[in-house]
């Protein structure tokens, strides 16, 4: 576990689900989403936190704070990079790990192509 403690590991994994939910929500609100799946992603995030007993801890964590600080700019940069495109955000951390691929989430495009991202979110800040 690269995060240190089991709880830190849970918090980092929760952050991956959180950013996917938040980005999907932004895409839906800005009419760039392929599907309306933000509510399902939010439920998956909430279940993950509940099952591990970290709901209140995550909400006041640096992991959430880091995402909240960068998410709007990250989304805006994506819109500039992929103008006039629709896309969804998908949490692939477990799937990619099982396939020995790198990436925590992907941006899935209408044509089936995707771009993979690794979230570098640590207690000391979002690295990149």
């Amino acid at each position: 576990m690269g995060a240190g403690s089991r709880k830190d590991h849970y918090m980092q994994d929760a952050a991956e689900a959180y950013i996917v939910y938040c980005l999907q929500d932004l895409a839906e609100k800005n009419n760039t989403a392929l599907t309306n799946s933000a509510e399902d992603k939010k439920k998956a995030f909430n279940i993950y936190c509940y099952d591990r007993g970290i709901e209140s801890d995550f909400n006041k964590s640096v992991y959430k704070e880091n995402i909240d600080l960068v998410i709007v700019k990250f989304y805006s940069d994506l819109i500039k990079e992929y103008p006039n495109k629709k896309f969804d955000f998908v949490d692939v951390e477990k799937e990619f790990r099982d396939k020995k691929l790198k990436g925590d989430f992907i941006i899935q495009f209408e044509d089936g192509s995707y771009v993979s991202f690794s979230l570098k979110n640590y207690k000391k800040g979002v690295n990149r």
Side-chain angles (χ1 to χ4, degrees):
M1 281 183 212
S5 73
R6 179 176 303 271
K7 184 176 177 181
D8 283 342
H9 179 76
Y10 290 159
M11 299 285 262
Q12 282 185 339
D13 283 352
E16 293 161 5
Y18 178 69
I19 198 169
V20 166
Y21 146 61
C22 290
L23 286 168
Q24 186 69 31
D25 190 54
L26 281 170
E28 289 177 23
K29 288 176 179 171
N30 289 284
N31 298 313
T32 61
L34 292 172
T35 64
N36 291 321
S37 57
E39 270 306 307
D40 290 338
K41 291 169 197 240
K42 181 180 182 181
K43 285 178 191 171
F45 161 72
N46 286 330
I47 289 168
Y48 181 90
C49 292
Y50 177 81
D51 286 350
R52 286 151 186 87
I54 62 168
E55 311 95 332
S56 63
D57 290 331
F58 183 81
N59 285 327
K60 58 186 178 190
S61 73
V62 69
Y63 299 104
K64 180 182 184 298
E65 183 181 320
N66 290 339
I67 291 169
D68 291 343
L69 287 171
V70 301
I71 195 160
V72 172
K73 180 167 179 1
F74 181 80
Y75 177 79
S76 295
D77 289 348
L78 289 175
I79 297 302
K80 290 175 191 164
E81 182 72 21
Y82 304 105
N84 304 313
K85 295 245 182 186
K86 292 196 177 244
F87 41 78
D88 278 346
F89 297 88
V90 183
D91 186 344
V92 295
E93 189 262 339
K94 183 183 180 335
E95 176 187 340
F96 273 31
R97 183 181 64 235
D98 292 347
K99 293 179 179 179
K100 299 194 183 340
L101 298 172
K102 293 187 185 253
D104 297 312
F105 67 95
I106 63 170
I107 300 172
Q108 180 78 51
F109 296 99
E110 203 165 14
D111 65 3
S113 65
Y114 67 87
V115 177
S116 175
F117 288 89
S118 290
L119 181 63
K120 303 300 181 201
N121 186 356
Y122 303 108
K123 282 184 177 180
K124 294 183 180 179
V126 176
N127 199 14
R128 53 183 176 169

